[in-house]
């Protein structure tokens, strides 16, 4: 999963992941609130024994909600679904202007 409010960053990360990990499903979001609002839909598409996301690249500086708060909310939501939040690896992403 990719979460960043910058379209360019999402595009670059998508290309890198697609090249290095072909044939993988990549969810990309430009808004942390959109991640949270579509979380249940994403979970319903996954087999019950699979992690919701293997890896989540999250921008730590977004206007609606920072990446730290999003990680906390995602871990809570994953746990509430009866899944192990430690199965998802969270990687902080940031860029300087």
């Amino acid at each position: 999963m990719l979460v960043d409010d910058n379209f360019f960053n999402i595009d670059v990360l998508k290309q890198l992941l697609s090249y290095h990990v072909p044939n993988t499903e990549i969810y990309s979001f430009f808004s942390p609130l959109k991640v949270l609002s579509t979380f249940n839909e994403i979970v319903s598409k996954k087999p019950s024994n699979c992690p919701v996301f293997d890896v989540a690249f999250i921008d730590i500086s977004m206007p609606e909600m920072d990446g730290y708060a999003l990680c906390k909310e995602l871990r809570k939501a994953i746990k509430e679904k009866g899944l192990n939040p430690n199965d998802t690896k969270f990687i902080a992403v940031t860029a300087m202007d």
Side-chain angles (χ1 to χ4, degrees), residues 8-47:
F8 178 77
N9 293 347
I10 288 282
D11 189 46
V12 169
L13 286 168
K14 243 186 196 178
Q15 288 180 33
L16 284 169
L17 284 173
S18 295
Y19 178 79
H20 291 287
V21 189
N23 302 320
T24 190
E25 187 173 16
I26 301 172
Y27 292 93
S28 58
F29 299 93
F30 301 103
S31 161
L33 298 179
K34 184 68 174 173
V35 175
L36 296 174
S37 69
T38 59
F39 179 79
N40 287 331
E41 180 183 332
I42 294 167
V43 172
S44 69
K45 294 178 182 177
K46 298 278 186 177

Side-chain angles (χ1 to χ4, degrees), residues 43-75:
V43 172
S44 69
K45 294 178 182 177
K46 298 278 186 177
S48 60
N49 61 342
C50 288
V52 180
F53 309 108
D54 293 318
V55 179
F57 293 88
I58 300 177
D59 182 8
I60 59 170
S61 178
M62 294 179 281
E64 296 173 328
M65 172 188 286
D66 69 45
Y68 300 112
L70 177 58
C71 287
K72 186 177 180 179
E73 290 297 315
L74 281 172
R75 285 188 181 279

Side-chain angles (χ1 to χ4, degrees), residues 82-97:
L83 300 169
N84 184 352
N86 295 323
D87 287 344
T88 299
K89 306 306 177 226
F90 292 92
I91 299 173
V93 178
T94 190
M96 300 299 285
D97 288 336

